[in-house]
Amino acid sequence: MKNTKKEYSNGEITVVYQTDLCIHSEVCSKGLASVFQPGTQPWIKINAASNDEIMKQVQKCPTRALSFYVNMPEEEDREVPIAIESGLKVKVLTKGPLMVEGSITLVNTNGQREIKSGETYFCRCGTSKNKPFCDGSHNVIDFED
């Protein structure tokens, strides 16, 4: 199959569709039918829902055939940074580890991939005997931020 990449923009966000990655699971159309309408032209109705709704649905694509980016404002409007809600949360715990909430792929130093979901705690103090994960050693050494 020929790799075709199509972009659909409303000026604020752009949804990118890569045909060679799509397995037609229908996660997009079942989750947000007003926007994702296979069999119609264009099949992505970018103005049929809010940017937030579209971004959240795109993130559910199991193959990443759908992705998005936030369009950068004109030069005069770039004073305010743009944050993209990825569905992941990283929290720095006081005197403790980094807590990552959500599903992630951890690539070990040997290249092995491991899926983590829920909450994963990563060592910040450097004394964990289970790196990169926290084992509570920060309490023993009275770790300060």
Side-chain angles (χ1 to χ4, degrees):
M1 177 184 281
K2 181 183 172 197
N3 181 11
T4 303
K5 185 175 174 180
K6 297 180 181 179
E7 295 190 355
Y8 303 85
S9 183
N10 64 10
E12 296 174 2
I13 65 166
T14 298
V15 173
V16 180
Y17 173 56
Q18 297 180 72
T19 58
D20 65 322
L21 298 178
C22 187
I23 60 170
H24 307 287
S25 67
E26 299 180 351
V27 169
C28 56
S29 59
K30 288 179 181 174
L32 196 57
S34 62
V35 174
F36 301 100
Q37 299 178 10
T40 65
Q41 292 297 325
W43 81 278
I44 296 178
K45 313 295 191 247
I46 194 75
N47 294 311
S50 72
N51 291 342
D52 189 50
E53 290 172 306
I54 293 170
M55 291 186 293
K56 285 180 180 176
Q57 190 61 43
V58 165
Q59 291 170 344
K60 295 175 183 177
C61 179
T63 64
R64 300 294 179 234
L66 291 171
S67 60
F68 71 88
Y69 59 88
V70 175
N71 300 329
M72 294 303 294
E74 297 300 320
E75 289 293 328
E76 63 271 8
D77 297 331
R78 287 197 184 170
E79 294 176 24
V80 179
I82 297 173
I84 299 174
E85 182 62 46
S86 68
L88 294 176
K89 179 170 80 174
V90 178
K91 185 174 182 182
V92 179
L93 300 178
T94 305
K95 298 183 180 183
L98 288 176
M99 189 253 326
V100 178
E101 184 180 292
S103 295
I104 62 169
T105 301
L106 176 66
V107 181
N108 294 318
T109 55
N110 64 4
Q112 181 181 3
R113 294 175 176 268
E114 183 178 351
I115 305 297
K116 295 287 188 182
S117 60
E119 295 175 349
T120 306
Y121 297 86
F122 291 97
C123 178
R124 282 198 309 140
C125 73
T127 60
S128 173
K129 293 183 180 35
N130 188 29
K131 291 183 184 95
F133 306 108
C134 176
D135 68 358
S137 295
H138 57 274
N139 293 319
V140 175
I141 65 165
D142 201 26
F143 177 68
E144 294 286 330
D145 291 333

Short mmCIF file of all heavy atoms in Angstrom, two decimals, residues 76-118:
data_model
loop_
_atom_site.label_atom_id
_atom_site.label_comp_id
_atom_site.label_asym_id
_atom_site.label_seq_id
_atom_site.Cartn_x
_atom_site.Cartn_y
_atom_site.Cartn_z
N GLU A 76 3.55 37.68 16.31
CA GLU A 76 3.14 38.62 17.35
C GLU A 76 2.34 37.95 18.47
O GLU A 76 2.18 38.50 19.54
CB GLU A 76 2.33 39.78 16.75
CG GLU A 76 1.02 39.38 16.10
CD GLU A 76 1.15 39.03 14.62
OE1 GLU A 76 2.28 38.95 14.11
OE2 GLU A 76 0.10 38.83 13.99
N ASP A 77 1.84 36.74 18.23
CA ASP A 77 1.03 36.05 19.23
C ASP A 77 1.81 34.97 19.99
O ASP A 77 1.23 34.22 20.75
CB ASP A 77 -0.19 35.39 18.57
CG ASP A 77 -1.12 36.40 17.94
OD1 ASP A 77 -1.17 37.53 18.43
OD2 ASP A 77 -1.79 36.04 16.94
N ARG A 78 3.10 34.86 19.82
CA ARG A 78 3.88 33.76 20.38
C ARG A 78 4.35 33.98 21.81
O ARG A 78 5.15 33.23 22.31
CB ARG A 78 5.09 33.46 19.50
CG ARG A 78 4.68 32.78 18.22
CD ARG A 78 5.83 32.13 17.57
NE ARG A 78 5.39 31.57 16.31
CZ ARG A 78 6.17 31.09 15.40
NH1 ARG A 78 7.46 31.08 15.60
NH2 ARG A 78 5.69 30.59 14.29
N GLU A 79 3.86 34.99 22.49
CA GLU A 79 4.28 35.24 23.86
C GLU A 79 3.78 34.17 24.82
O GLU A 79 4.43 33.86 25.81
CB GLU A 79 3.81 36.61 24.32
CG GLU A 79 4.46 37.74 23.56
CD GLU A 79 3.90 39.09 23.96
OE1 GLU A 79 3.37 39.21 25.08
OE2 GLU A 79 4.00 40.02 23.17
N VAL A 80 2.62 33.59 24.55
CA VAL A 80 2.03 32.60 25.43
C VAL A 80 2.38 31.21 24.93
O VAL A 80 2.08 30.86 23.79
CB VAL A 80 0.49 32.77 25.47
CG1 VAL A 80 -0.14 31.72 26.38
CG2 VAL A 80 0.11 34.16 25.92
N PRO A 81 3.05 30.40 25.77
CA PRO A 81 3.38 29.04 25.32
C PRO A 81 2.12 28.18 25.16
O PRO A 81 1.14 28.40 25.85
CB PRO A 81 4.27 28.51 26.43
CG PRO A 81 3.97 29.34 27.62
CD PRO A 81 3.49 30.67 27.11
N ILE A 82 2.19 27.22 24.25
CA ILE A 82 1.07 26.33 24.00
C ILE A 82 1.35 25.00 24.69
O ILE A 82 2.42 24.42 24.52
CB ILE A 82 0.87 26.10 22.50
CG1 ILE A 82 0.52 27.43 21.82
CG2 ILE A 82 -0.18 25.06 22.23
CD1 ILE A 82 0.48 27.34 20.32
N ALA A 83 0.41 24.52 25.48
CA ALA A 83 0.54 23.21 26.11
C ALA A 83 -0.42 22.26 25.43
O ALA A 83 -1.56 22.62 25.14
CB ALA A 83 0.22 23.31 27.61
N ILE A 84 0.04 21.07 25.18
CA ILE A 84 -0.79 20.05 24.55
C ILE A 84 -1.11 19.00 25.61
O ILE A 84 -0.20 18.45 26.23
CB ILE A 84 -0.07 19.40 23.36
CG1 ILE A 84 0.24 20.46 22.31
CG2 ILE A 84 -0.90 18.28 22.78
CD1 ILE A 84 1.07 19.95 21.17
N GLU A 85 -2.37 18.72 25.82
CA GLU A 85 -2.78 17.68 26.76
C GLU A 85 -2.58 16.34 26.10
O GLU A 85 -3.20 16.01 25.10
CB GLU A 85 -4.25 17.87 27.15
CG GLU A 85 -4.74 16.88 28.17
CD GLU A 85 -4.02 16.95 29.49
OE1 GLU A 85 -3.84 18.05 30.02
OE2 GLU A 85 -3.66 15.89 30.01
N SER A 86 -1.65 15.56 26.62
CA SER A 86 -1.29 14.29 25.99
C SER A 86 -2.00 13.10 26.61
O SER A 86 -1.92 12.00 26.08
CB SER A 86 0.21 14.06 26.12
OG SER A 86 0.55 13.85 27.47
N GLY A 87 -2.68 13.30 27.71
CA GLY A 87 -3.28 12.17 28.39
C GLY A 87 -2.34 11.61 29.45
O GLY A 87 -2.72 10.78 30.25
N LEU A 88 -1.10 12.05 29.46
CA LEU A 88 -0.14 11.65 30.47
C LEU A 88 0.04 12.79 31.46
O LEU A 88 -0.09 13.95 31.10
CB LEU A 88 1.23 11.36 29.85
CG LEU A 88 1.32 10.17 28.92
CD1 LEU A 88 2.71 10.09 28.33
CD2 LEU A 88 0.99 8.89 29.65
N LYS A 89 0.37 12.43 32.69
CA LYS A 89 0.65 13.45 33.69
C LYS A 89 1.97 13.08 34.34
O LYS A 89 2.16 11.92 34.74
CB LYS A 89 -0.46 13.52 34.72
CG LYS A 89 -0.21 14.57 35.80
CD LYS A 89 -1.43 14.81 36.66
CE LYS A 89 -1.60 13.75 37.71
NZ LYS A 89 -2.68 14.00 38.65
N VAL A 90 2.87 14.04 34.45
CA VAL A 90 4.13 13.85 35.16
C VAL A 90 4.12 14.81 36.33
O VAL A 90 3.95 16.01 36.16
CB VAL A 90 5.35 14.12 34.25
CG1 VAL A 90 6.65 13.94 35.04
CG2 VAL A 90 5.34 13.20 33.03
N LYS A 91 4.28 14.26 37.52
CA LYS A 91 4.23 15.08 38.73
C LYS A 91 5.52 14.89 39.52
O LYS A 91 5.96 13.76 39.75
CB LYS A 91 3.02 14.67 39.57
CG LYS A 91 2.80 15.53 40.78
CD LYS A 91 1.52 15.16 41.49
CE LYS A 91 1.28 16.05 42.69
NZ LYS A 91 0.06 15.66 43.41
N VAL A 92 6.13 15.99 39.92
CA VAL A 92 7.30 15.95 40.78
C VAL A 92 6.80 15.91 42.22
O VAL A 92 6.14 16.84 42.68
CB VAL A 92 8.20 17.19 40.56
CG1 VAL A 92 9.42 17.14 41.48
CG2 VAL A 92 8.62 17.32 39.10
N LEU A 93 7.08 14.82 42.91
CA LEU A 93 6.63 14.68 44.29
C LEU A 93 7.67 15.31 45.22
O LEU A 93 8.86 15.07 45.09
CB LEU A 93 6.41 13.21 44.64
CG LEU A 93 5.37 12.50 43.78
CD1 LEU A 93 5.25 11.04 44.17
CD2 LEU A 93 4.01 13.18 43.90
N THR A 94 7.20 16.12 46.16
CA THR A 94 8.08 16.80 47.09
C THR A 94 8.97 15.80 47.82
O THR A 94 8.47 14.82 48.38
CB THR A 94 7.26 17.61 48.12
OG1 THR A 94 6.39 18.49 47.40
CG2 THR A 94 8.16 18.40 49.04
N LYS A 95 10.26 16.04 47.78
CA LYS A 95 11.27 15.19 48.44
C LYS A 95 11.16 13.73 48.00
O LYS A 95 11.44 12.81 48.77
CB LYS A 95 11.16 15.28 49.97
CG LYS A 95 11.42 16.66 50.52
CD LYS A 95 11.36 16.66 52.03
CE LYS A 95 11.63 18.03 52.58
NZ LYS A 95 11.63 18.03 54.04
N GLY A 96 10.70 13.52 46.77
CA GLY A 96 10.48 12.16 46.31
C GLY A 96 10.66 12.00 44.81
O GLY A 96 11.32 12.81 44.16
N PRO A 97 10.05 10.95 44.27
CA PRO A 97 10.25 10.60 42.87
C PRO A 97 9.41 11.42 41.89
O PRO A 97 8.61 12.26 42.31
CB PRO A 97 9.80 9.14 42.83
CG PRO A 97 8.72 9.08 43.88
CD PRO A 97 9.19 10.00 44.97
N LEU A 98 9.59 11.14 40.61
CA LEU A 98 8.70 11.61 39.57
C LEU A 98 7.60 10.57 39.42
O LEU A 98 7.90 9.38 39.32
CB LEU A 98 9.41 11.74 38.22
CG LEU A 98 10.41 12.87 38.04
CD1 LEU A 98 11.07 12.75 36.68
CD2 LEU A 98 9.72 14.21 38.17
N MET A 99 6.36 11.01 39.43
CA MET A 99 5.25 10.10 39.23
C MET A 99 4.70 10.35 37.83
O MET A 99 4.35 11.47 37.48
CB MET A 99 4.15 10.33 40.25
CG MET A 99 3.06 9.28 40.22
SD MET A 99 1.44 9.71 39.54
CE MET A 99 1.12 11.35 39.91
N VAL A 100 4.67 9.28 37.00
CA VAL A 100 4.09 9.36 35.66
C VAL A 100 2.78 8.60 35.71
O VAL A 100 2.75 7.43 36.07
CB VAL A 100 5.04 8.77 34.60
CG1 VAL A 100 4.41 8.83 33.22
CG2 VAL A 100 6.38 9.50 34.61
N GLU A 101 1.71 9.29 35.33
CA GLU A 101 0.38 8.68 35.36
C GLU A 101 -0.10 8.50 33.93
O GLU A 101 -0.14 9.44 33.15
CB GLU A 101 -0.56 9.61 36.12
CG GLU A 101 -1.95 9.06 36.32
CD GLU A 101 -2.80 10.05 37.08
OE1 GLU A 101 -2.54 10.27 38.28
OE2 GLU A 101 -3.72 10.61 36.47
N GLY A 102 -0.43 7.26 33.58
CA GLY A 102 -0.89 6.95 32.23
C GLY A 102 -0.08 5.81 31.64
O GLY A 102 0.84 5.29 32.27
N SER A 103 -0.42 5.42 30.45
CA SER A 103 0.31 4.34 29.78
C SER A 103 1.51 4.89 29.04
O SER A 103 1.40 5.85 28.29
CB SER A 103 -0.61 3.62 28.79
OG SER A 103 -1.65 2.99 29.48
N ILE A 104 2.67 4.26 29.27
CA ILE A 104 3.91 4.69 28.62
C ILE A 104 4.66 3.46 28.12
O ILE A 104 4.43 2.34 28.59
CB ILE A 104 4.83 5.49 29.57
CG1 ILE A 104 5.26 4.63 30.78
CG2 ILE A 104 4.17 6.78 30.01
CD1 ILE A 104 6.36 5.25 31.63
N THR A 105 5.56 3.68 27.19
CA THR A 105 6.50 2.65 26.76
C THR A 105 7.85 3.05 27.31
O THR A 105 8.37 4.12 26.99
CB THR A 105 6.57 2.56 25.22
OG1 THR A 105 5.27 2.26 24.73
CG2 THR A 105 7.54 1.48 24.79
N LEU A 106 8.42 2.19 28.14
CA LEU A 106 9.74 2.43 28.71
C LEU A 106 10.74 1.65 27.89
O LEU A 106 10.59 0.43 27.71
CB LEU A 106 9.77 1.98 30.17
CG LEU A 106 11.12 2.08 30.88
CD1 LEU A 106 11.54 3.53 31.03
CD2 LEU A 106 11.06 1.40 32.23
N VAL A 107 11.75 2.32 27.35
CA VAL A 107 12.79 1.66 26.59
C VAL A 107 14.02 1.57 27.50
O VAL A 107 14.60 2.59 27.87
CB VAL A 107 13.13 2.42 25.29
CG1 VAL A 107 14.21 1.69 24.51
CG2 VAL A 107 11.88 2.62 24.45
N ASN A 108 14.38 0.34 27.88
CA ASN A 108 15.51 0.12 28.78
C ASN A 108 16.83 0.38 28.05
O ASN A 108 16.87 0.50 26.83
CB ASN A 108 15.48 -1.32 29.31
CG ASN A 108 14.29 -1.56 30.21
OD1 ASN A 108 13.96 -0.72 31.03
ND2 ASN A 108 13.64 -2.69 30.04
N THR A 109 17.93 0.44 28.79
CA THR A 109 19.23 0.71 28.20
C THR A 109 19.65 -0.36 27.20
O THR A 109 20.44 -0.09 26.31
CB THR A 109 20.32 0.83 29.29
OG1 THR A 109 20.29 -0.36 30.09
CG2 THR A 109 20.07 2.04 30.17
N ASN A 110 19.11 -1.55 27.31
CA ASN A 110 19.42 -2.62 26.36
C ASN A 110 18.48 -2.61 25.15
O ASN A 110 18.54 -3.48 24.30
CB ASN A 110 19.37 -3.99 27.04
CG ASN A 110 18.00 -4.35 27.57
OD1 ASN A 110 17.03 -3.62 27.37
ND2 ASN A 110 17.90 -5.49 28.23
N GLY A 111 17.57 -1.62 25.09
CA GLY A 111 16.64 -1.50 23.98
C GLY A 111 15.33 -2.24 24.18
O GLY A 111 14.42 -2.12 23.36
N GLN A 112 15.23 -3.01 25.24
CA GLN A 112 14.00 -3.76 25.51
C GLN A 112 12.89 -2.79 25.88
O GLN A 112 13.08 -1.86 26.66
CB GLN A 112 14.23 -4.75 26.65
CG GLN A 112 13.02 -5.59 26.98
CD GLN A 112 13.29 -6.54 28.14
OE1 GLN A 112 14.35 -6.54 28.73
NE2 GLN A 112 12.31 -7.35 28.45
N ARG A 113 11.71 -3.03 25.31
CA ARG A 113 10.55 -2.17 25.57
C ARG A 113 9.64 -2.82 26.59
O ARG A 113 9.43 -4.02 26.57
CB ARG A 113 9.78 -1.92 24.28
CG ARG A 113 10.57 -1.11 23.28
CD ARG A 113 9.82 -0.97 21.97
NE ARG A 113 10.56 -0.11 21.07
CZ ARG A 113 10.37 1.20 20.98
NH1 ARG A 113 9.44 1.78 21.70
NH2 ARG A 113 11.08 1.92 20.16
N GLU A 114 9.12 -1.97 27.47
CA GLU A 114 8.23 -2.44 28.52
C GLU A 114 7.06 -1.46 28.63
O GLU A 114 7.27 -0.25 28.69
CB GLU A 114 9.03 -2.48 29.83
CG GLU A 114 8.30 -3.00 31.02
CD GLU A 114 9.21 -3.04 32.26
OE1 GLU A 114 10.43 -2.82 32.16
OE2 GLU A 114 8.65 -3.27 33.34
N ILE A 115 5.87 -1.98 28.64
CA ILE A 115 4.67 -1.14 28.77
C ILE A 115 4.36 -0.97 30.24
O ILE A 115 4.29 -1.95 30.99
CB ILE A 115 3.46 -1.77 28.05
CG1 ILE A 115 3.77 -2.05 26.59
CG2 ILE A 115 2.22 -0.89 28.20
CD1 ILE A 115 4.08 -0.83 25.76
N LYS A 116 4.17 0.26 30.66
CA LYS A 116 3.78 0.58 32.03
C LYS A 116 2.46 1.34 31.96
O LYS A 116 2.28 2.20 31.10
CB LYS A 116 4.83 1.46 32.72
CG LYS A 116 6.15 0.79 32.93
CD LYS A 116 6.03 -0.23 34.02
CE LYS A 116 7.36 -0.81 34.42
NZ LYS A 116 7.19 -1.82 35.45
N SER A 117 1.54 1.03 32.85
CA SER A 117 0.29 1.77 32.88
C SER A 117 -0.07 2.08 34.32
O SER A 117 0.49 1.51 35.25
CB SER A 117 -0.83 0.98 32.19
OG SER A 117 -1.04 -0.24 32.83
N GLY A 118 -0.99 2.99 34.48
CA GLY A 118 -1.35 3.43 35.83
C GLY A 118 -0.33 4.46 36.29
O GLY A 118 0.00 5.38 35.56
#
